Amino acid sequence: MRKLPNETPSKPLDRVPDRKCILTGESHPQSELVRLAMGPDGQIAPDVRAKAEGRGAWIGVDRTTLEAAQAKGQLKGALARAFKSGQLIIPDDLADRLEAGLQRATLDRLGLEARGGTLLTGSEKIETAARQGDLVMLMHASDAGRDGSAKLDQAWRVGSDREGQDVRGQILPVDRQGLSVALGRQNVVHIGITNARAAGRISHMLERWRRFIGHDIVDDDAEKKVA
């Protein structure tokens, strides 16, 4: 049997602290939550990369829940307690800004991996890597053709000795145009990752984005099954 590549971690490899979601009160690894920061003027803004100075508040809910909490005043109350201040300015389009930030962070991550040489585009290159057992992670644009995706899925199963298993690439919540712009390449429809640590970094960013927008994972065991 062909030796499978290293299993891809679905979370960042380094240990991260737990944080409590201000809306649910539940604790989760910091990497699974999104930070909100308050500026000097009391303006609340997404801090997706968790690098803004000063105090922050963490949320771990999806967009629908966030918008409902904001409409009912629950978000403002939770933020007031977290920042110990009632002088808050919460933008009406906070959910839009947060979604855009998560998307940008994920696409930036893909761009970094492309420049680092761990990311493949082009069906032929991806299929060759898949059949050789070198593919760790497989992703398809939201508007990718079913036949083309199925062909690469099958090559991945064959190359990793998993024929007959329900192993498929993930459908991304972005179309080929968005991927092409992010990677600076033409007509990016499919993406293959050949390095386990790179796949772990991408999975972390992608999971947060997809969890927030409520995007179903076509193969919800993809990170567990990747080889």
Side-chain angles (χ1 to χ4, degrees), residues 9-213:
S10 58
K11 298 293 182 289
L13 300 180
D14 297 329
R15 186 177 181 85
V16 293
D18 284 353
R19 300 290 186 184
K20 182 179 293 186
C21 172
I22 61 171
L23 289 173
T24 66
E26 298 176 355
S27 294
H28 300 277
Q30 178 177 309
S31 58
E32 297 179 10
L33 305 179
V34 181
R35 187 175 187 263
L36 299 177
M38 183 173 70
D41 59 352
Q43 182 86 9
I44 300 297
D47 180 24
V48 172
R49 302 176 196 273
K51 293 183 177 180
E53 296 182 358
R55 293 175 58 86
W58 300 84
I59 59 170
V61 298
D62 61 18
R63 177 175 179 139
T64 299
T65 304
L66 177 64
E67 290 179 323
Q70 184 170 356
K72 296 176 182 178
Q74 296 170 341
L75 177 61
K76 185 172 184 178
L79 287 170
R81 290 189 293 273
F83 290 115
K84 295 180 173 57
S85 172
Q87 304 302 311
L88 303 171
I89 303 174
I90 305 176
D92 293 337
D93 63 346
L94 178 63
D96 290 335
R97 297 186 188 190
L98 185 49
E99 180 175 338
L102 290 169
Q103 176 176 332
R104 182 73 266 155
T106 304
L107 296 181
D108 285 351
R109 183 73 257 169
L110 291 176
L112 288 171
E113 299 302 342
R115 291 191 288 277
T118 62
L119 182 150
L120 298 176
T121 58
S123 295
E124 292 185 5
K125 290 182 180 179
I126 295 174
E127 182 177 1
T128 297
R131 291 191 179 279
Q132 291 177 344
D134 295 330
L135 200 65
V136 178
M137 187 177 187
L138 177 62
M139 294 167 280
H140 310 298
S142 61
D143 57 348
R146 181 173 298 180
D147 290 344
S149 297
K151 182 179 180 181
L152 293 180
D153 292 343
Q154 176 63 15
W156 193 20
R157 289 191 289 268
V158 170
S160 58
D161 289 331
R162 293 179 290 179
E163 288 188 85
Q165 299 182 38
D166 187 23
V167 178
R168 292 172 289 163
Q170 300 182 53
I171 297 180
L172 298 171
V174 61
D175 61 17
R176 67 184 69 193
Q177 181 178 359
L179 290 177
S180 300
V181 171
L183 299 181
R185 302 180 184 182
Q186 294 185 346
N187 196 32
V188 178
V189 183
H190 310 283
I191 292 176
I193 304 298
T194 59
N195 177 274
R197 292 184 68 88
R201 292 188 292 266
I202 294 169
S203 293
H204 157 54
M205 305 301 294
L206 181 57
E207 285 171 8
R208 285 199 310 165
W209 176 23
R210 191 156 42 195
R211 187 182 303 117
F212 181 71
I213 64 177

